[in-house]
DNA sequence: GCTACACCTGC
DNA sequence: CAGGTGTAG
């Protein structure tokens, strides 16, 4: 059992269901199962902590790794106090107070988000699930369910891009194979990027095909220990413009139709100036709230 | 540096 | 018509 600090909020449903990870599923018992590198995990909320079991052919993942995977090392209570001064973030955190940012296996995360451009959560889940069933190792659970691990980079690198076409990846097929090749060949050492300075890790990821600023920031935030990374997509952009219109007015000429690189950088800088190293968490809550607002029509202070 | 445009698929 | 990136001007 992995404990967390007294009173620290944590929700499996909010954490695994917010769109930061694509291959994990909730079981009928309310636990969550999914791949984590070379093993499959099942996590269950218990009083005061989380119970974790693992299965697979590999060795047992260190408890500290799982602790960090679940984001339990992050002082969310303290972050809540700091971000509580920011009204929109505070409201967003009230909606999903137990949402934590995971620390995913780097390749699991890269291989998922390279599929993410101009896509949706549902579509990424289909594509990555298809690839895993086709090329991922299988790990059975006693009740008969089989977890398919994320295919290793070397496996995907050996494929012809068209082999991925049934996954519905379209023009992203060559990005998946190209990125897998770069990782398998050692052109990019994902593990070494943990602990690198943010600009260096960002530059390394931007060399991968299919990786622009948004996808790179997702990987930096969700796997590579960069809490300041702030992925800006159209939903985050809408959230910023909806809830920080006055603050942005002095930084941006106006809200254009297209999200230009210039506006993109300005929005990231805005997040850094306002939230510093908590920008990633602030982004995730605002992102989730803005998407939920669309679904539930419960927007705090909608624009126009 | 910046803006414009093509690109696969699915809901 | 969409939760972006690569490429050409």
């Amino acid at each position: 059992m992995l404990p967390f600090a007294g009173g620290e909020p944590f929700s499996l449903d909010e954490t695994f269901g917010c769109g930061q990870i694509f291959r994990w599923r909730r079981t009928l018992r309310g636990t969550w199962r999914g791949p984590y590198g070379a093993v499959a995990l099942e996590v269950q909320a218990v009083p005061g902590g989380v119970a974790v079991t693992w299965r697979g052919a590999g060795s047992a993942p260190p408890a500290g790794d799982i602790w960090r995977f679940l984001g339990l090392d992050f002082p969310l209570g303290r972050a809540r106090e700091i971000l509580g001064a920011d009204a929109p973030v505070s409201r967003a955190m009230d909606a999903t107070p137990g949402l934590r940012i995971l620390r995913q296996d780097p390749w699991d995360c890269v291989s998922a988000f390279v599929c993410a451009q101009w896509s949706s959560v549902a579509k990424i889940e289909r594509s990555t699930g298809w690839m895993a069933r086709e090329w991922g190792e299988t790990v059975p659970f006693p009740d008969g369910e089989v977890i398919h691990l994320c295919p290793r980079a070397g496996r995907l690198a050996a494929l012809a891009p068209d082999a991925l076409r049934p996954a519905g990846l379209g023009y992203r097929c060559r990005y998946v194979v190209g990125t897998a090749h770069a990782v398998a060949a050692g052109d990019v050492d994902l593990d070494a990027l943990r602990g690198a300075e943010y600009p260096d890790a960002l530059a390394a990821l931007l060399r991968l095909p299919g990786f622009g600023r948004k996808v790179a920031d997702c990987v930096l935030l969700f796997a590579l220990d960069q809490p300041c990374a702030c992925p800006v997509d159209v939903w985050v952009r809408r959230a910023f413009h909806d809830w920080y219109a006055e603050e942005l007015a002095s930084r941006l000429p106006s809200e254009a139709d297209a999200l230009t690189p210039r506006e993109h950088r300005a929005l990231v800088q805005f997040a850094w100036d306002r939230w510093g190293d908590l920008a990633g968490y602030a982004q995730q809550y605002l992102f989730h709230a803005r998407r939920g607002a669309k679904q539930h029509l419960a927007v705090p202070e909608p624009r126009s």
Side-chain angles (χ1 to χ4, degrees), chain A residues 17-38:
Chain A
C18 73
Q20 66 178 314
I21 194 164
F22 304 105
R23 304 269 336 287
W24 278 62
R25 292 294 173 269
R26 192 182 199 276
T27 69
L28 294 175
R29 300 169 22 241
T31 66
W32 284 80
R33 283 180 182 172
Y36 172 69

Side-chain angles (χ1 to χ4, degrees), chain A residues 69-99:
Chain A
F69 166 61
L70 296 172
L72 293 173
D73 57 317
F74 185 81
L76 186 52
R78 176 70 185 134
R80 181 72 179 83
E81 291 175 17
I82 297 169
L83 294 174
D86 191 299
V89 177
S90 185
R91 281 195 297 269
M93 291 186 86
D94 287 341
T96 52
L99 191 169

Side-chain angles (χ1 to χ4, degrees), chain A residues 17 29 44 54 57 63 109 115 151 188 214 216 240 253 267 272 289:
Chain A
R29 300 169 22 241
Q44 177 181 18
W54 72 276
C109 191
C115 308
V188 174
K214 187 266 182 179
F240 281 16
L267 293 174
W272 285 343

Side-chain angles (χ1 to χ4, degrees), chain A residues 12 29 33 45 71 83 93 97 99 147 160 165 167 169 173 189 213 218 223 230 241 248 251 270 275 288:
Chain A
L12 289 176
R29 300 169 22 241
R33 283 180 182 172
L83 294 174
M93 291 186 86
L99 191 169
I147 298 294
R165 201 146 288 274
L169 287 163
C173 289
D189 185 347
R213 183 65 193 267
C218 285
C230 182
H241 281 283
L248 287 172
R251 295 167 172 259
F270 171 75
W275 302 301
H288 196 265

